[in-house]
């Protein structure tokens, strides 16, 4: 009985860790792609001749630097 309980607890812990890893990967993916979508939309507006928009991205990494460069345009 104790062996079965131990196996069940191990399976539960592994399942919870798997769910946590999946949730974190989805959160990181959304956090990474959201600023890229904003920059793409602004680039399309710039291509259409609408120069008044801003990206609204304020990150301190390469994506933020690219967004700042696009905002200057």
């Amino acid at each position: 009985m104790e062996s079965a309980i131990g196996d069940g607890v191990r399976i539960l812990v592994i399942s919870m860790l798997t769910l946590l890893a999946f949730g974190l990967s989805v959160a990181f993916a959304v956090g990474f792609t959201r600023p890229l979508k904003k920059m793409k939309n602004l680039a399309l507006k710039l291509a259409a001749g609408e120069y008044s928009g801003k990206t609204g991205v304020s990150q301190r990494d390469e994506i933020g630097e690219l967004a700042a460069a696009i905002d200057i345009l």
Side-chain angles (χ1 to χ4, degrees), residues 40-60:
K40 179 196 79 159
N41 290 337
L42 182 61
L44 291 173
K45 288 180 182 179
L46 289 171
E50 190 177 325
Y51 300 111
S52 63
K54 298 287 183 185
T55 60
V57 176
S58 59
Q59 292 180 229
R60 295 178 178 241

Side-chain angles (χ1 to χ4, degrees), residues 28-48:
F28 285 134
V30 168
F32 183 74
T33 58
R34 184 175 292 142
L36 295 176
K37 287 180 182 179
K38 288 181 179 180
M39 288 186 282
K40 179 196 79 159
N41 290 337
L42 182 61
L44 291 173
K45 288 180 182 179
L46 289 171

